[in-house]
Amino acid sequence: MEKTQKEKIFEDYPIKKAVATLAVPTILSSLVMVLYNLADTFFVGMLNDPIENAAVALAGPLLLAFNAVNNLFGVGSSSLMSRSLGKKDYETVGKASAFGFYGALFFGLVFSILCTVFRGPLLQLLGADSTTINATNGYINWTVSLGAAPAILNVVMAYLVRSEGAAMHASIGTMSGCFLNIILDPIFILPWGLDMGAEGAGCATFLSNCAACIYFFVFLAVKKKETFISISPRKFTLERRVVSNVFIVGIPASIQNLLNVTGMTILNNFTASYGADAIAAMGISQKVNTVPMNISMGLSQGIMPLVSYNYASGDSKRMKDTIKFSMKTALIFLVLVAALFFIGSETVVGMFIGDENVIAYGSRFLRGFCMGLPFLAVDFMAVGVFQAVGMGKEALLFAILRKIALEIPALFILNWLMPLYGLAYAQFTAEVILAIAAVVVLKRLFKKVEKRTQTF
């Protein structure tokens, strides 16, 4: 039987070509997603009002919390789907995709309801005060109360589509929403448009995520006869083998993001005590730093279907070569970006706001954040591999180490040693240790896979 195009990518393409085919669209999608997040900061920054910028920064942990649901059902389902494809178990592919879709929809709606009901305590927890509470509330109305479900479904459906090797279509879906957001932002935010400030940024984000979801619905309807992905209610199942295999990978990935939310909330609360200028600067420097971070994450997510497929099919050499090539590529890129950010931090922060005080804060924050980038490349790649091969416990261990054991304690210690500015170095401290641990665990995985291959 002649191989399909998807099977050729997973089994026959040279490593560089296979990685490029799967990862480049994912990286582009991640990059555009970051640009779309930066668009809110950029256009709100044009108002030169630190309070409006602070609102976007303070809402950041809530938007990051979406990733807990994204990873639970997106990462978990797509990992099971790719491994099932490697075993030619197409029935499980359909059931896993339906479970991922409806699970994401349900929890997205629950997220919206809870955040709306408990809005008052939530705003206080995020660090909003009498100065920033109104702007933050307006932004959250659109992005969370109305926008949680479409924002989550947009990402989860991209994971489902990418699991079959259709990385380009997954990227087109997410990028369509991102480009629409960039177009709508100035119209909704700036005085010459609707003059809604931070609330306008939230409205533009909501509409853009709805548009991206529509793209995926149309794509799945058109490709119905060519794909094993299903969002039909008839395919939804609570079979133990499906649910357990999704959750083994998805729960650790979800907990990892919940811990990220906790870390960001603690960071924002520390920063809030220094005023709106410091909050705005922290928000800008964090978002700038997420550009290279998300490119690296896009690479690790892009190769996940390739790693999953070859792990399940028993081709250990192809799996290892994929990981090593991707790791080297990510490291080289992030070392160069870290150097650029460190040298030109003032110029980079100044692109987003003209306030000199905010630029002074932000440039020092960015220098601290960027030092951790090369080590993040190793960490992200390792966690992506763990998720791809179903090593949920290892992924969870790294999440706990990163935040609870390393980064959150480092926030308290470094803020005490270097008030305010020490906060930016907590991530660097954690990632150095995690990068070393990642190399050790990956070597053990390689040995385990080699032994398994030799027994066949």
Side-chain angles (χ1 to χ4, degrees), residues 194-210:
L194 298 177
D195 195 21
M196 295 171 65
E199 185 177 359
C203 183
T205 299
F206 166 69
L207 294 174
S208 302
N209 283 324
C210 289

Side-chain angles (χ1 to χ4, degrees), residues 65-76:
F66 290 170
N67 288 334
V69 183
N70 295 341
N71 283 3
L72 177 60
F73 295 102
V75 174

Side-chain angles (χ1 to χ4, degrees), residues 44-59:
V44 172
M46 290 180 69
L47 300 172
N48 280 322
D49 185 345
I51 292 175
E52 296 290 333
N53 263 97
V56 176
L58 288 170

Side-chain angles (χ1 to χ4, degrees), residues 17-34:
K17 184 178 179 181
V19 169
T21 301
L22 294 170
V24 169
T26 310
I27 291 170
L28 289 175
S29 176
S30 296
L31 180 57
V32 174
M33 286 288 285
V34 173

Side-chain angles (χ1 to χ4, degrees), residues 10 47 57 65 94 98 109 200 241 260 343 353 382 385:
F10 290 135
L47 300 172
L109 293 174
R241 67 181 183 88
N260 287 340
I343 295 169
I353 196 166
V385 171

Side-chain angles (χ1 to χ4, degrees), residues 48-308:
N48 280 322
D49 185 345
I51 292 175
E52 296 290 333
N53 263 97
V56 176
L58 288 170
L62 271 186
L63 304 188
L64 186 61
F66 290 170
N67 288 334
V69 183
N70 295 341
N71 283 3
L72 177 60
F73 295 102
V75 174
S77 296
S78 64
S79 175
L80 175 58
M81 290 165 68
S82 293
R83 282 181 278 132
S84 298
L85 284 169
K87 297 175 182 177
K88 315 297 183 186
D89 181 3
Y90 303 122
E91 179 66 20
T92 298
V93 176
K95 290 181 178 179
S97 56
F99 177 74
F101 175 83
Y102 287 104
L105 176 60
F106 174 77
F107 278 92
L109 293 174
V110 169
F111 195 103
S112 289
I113 293 168
L114 291 176
C115 289
T116 303
V117 171
F118 297 103
R119 177 67 56 83
L122 182 62
L123 287 168
Q124 291 182 347
L125 180 65
L126 292 171
D129 57 20
S130 59
T131 305
T132 57
I133 193 167
N134 288 332
T136 307
N137 186 55
Y139 186 73
I140 288 174
N141 274 334
W142 289 102
T143 55
V144 181
S145 293
L146 292 173
I152 289 168
L153 284 179
N154 169 16
V155 177
V156 170
M157 285 195 285
Y159 270 113
L160 302 184
V161 171
R162 193 181 298 124
S163 69
E164 273 196 326
M168 182 60 72
H169 286 291
S171 300
I172 291 172
T174 53
M175 288 192 293
S176 63
C178 295
F179 283 126
L180 179 60
N181 187 80
I182 292 170
I183 293 169
L184 293 179
D185 258 350
I187 297 172
F188 283 85
I189 295 170
L190 299 177
W192 59 261
L194 298 177
D195 195 21
M196 295 171 65
E199 185 177 359
C203 183
T205 299
F206 166 69
L207 294 174
S208 302
N209 283 324
C210 289
C213 286
I214 291 171
Y215 173 88
F216 284 117
F217 288 133
V218 172
F219 170 77
L220 291 176
V222 171
K223 298 287 185 179
K224 187 175 181 180
K225 294 182 180 179
E226 303 173 28
T227 178
F228 296 107
I229 300 169
S230 175
I231 57 172
S232 168
R234 289 177 295 179
K235 283 283 186 179
F236 178 79
T237 180
L238 292 175
E239 288 179 25
R240 184 175 180 180
R241 67 181 183 88
V242 173
V243 176
S244 62
N245 275 288
V246 169
F247 283 178
I248 282 171
V249 174
I251 288 177
S254 179
I255 291 173
Q256 177 181 340
N257 276 281
L258 289 174
L259 292 175
N260 287 340
V261 172
T262 303
M264 184 180 285
T265 303
I266 292 171
L267 177 62
N268 282 345
N269 274 274
F270 272 130
T271 311
S273 64
Y274 296 92
D277 285 358
I279 298 172
M282 184 65 78
I284 291 170
S285 58
Q286 279 184 311
K287 286 200 172 184
V288 168
N289 200 55
T290 60
V291 175
M293 280 176 59
N294 276 268
I295 292 174
S296 178
M297 189 178 294
L299 176 58
S300 65
Q301 290 177 348
I303 67 166
M304 278 179 63
L306 186 60
V307 173
S308 295

Side-chain angles (χ1 to χ4, degrees), residues 311-384:
Y311 175 78
S313 66
D315 193 343
S316 61
K317 183 179 185 306
R318 187 170 175 81
M319 186 194 88
K320 286 168 57 179
D321 289 346
T322 298
I323 297 167
K324 289 178 180 178
F325 170 73
S326 302
M327 184 86 77
K328 289 177 183 177
T329 303
L331 267 173
I332 293 169
F333 169 73
L334 289 182
V335 167
L336 292 174
V337 173
L340 178 65
F341 279 2
F342 195 88
I343 295 169
S345 59
E346 290 186 6
T347 303
V348 173
V349 175
M351 293 169 61
F352 295 91
I353 196 166
D355 188 293
E356 292 184 3
N357 199 34
V358 174
I359 293 172
Y361 279 131
S363 62
R364 293 185 66 177
F365 293 153
L366 185 56
R367 288 193 186 103
F369 285 132
C370 75
M371 288 179 66
L373 287 175
F375 303 97
L376 273 168
V378 181
D379 183 22
F380 282 174
M381 193 62 62
V383 172

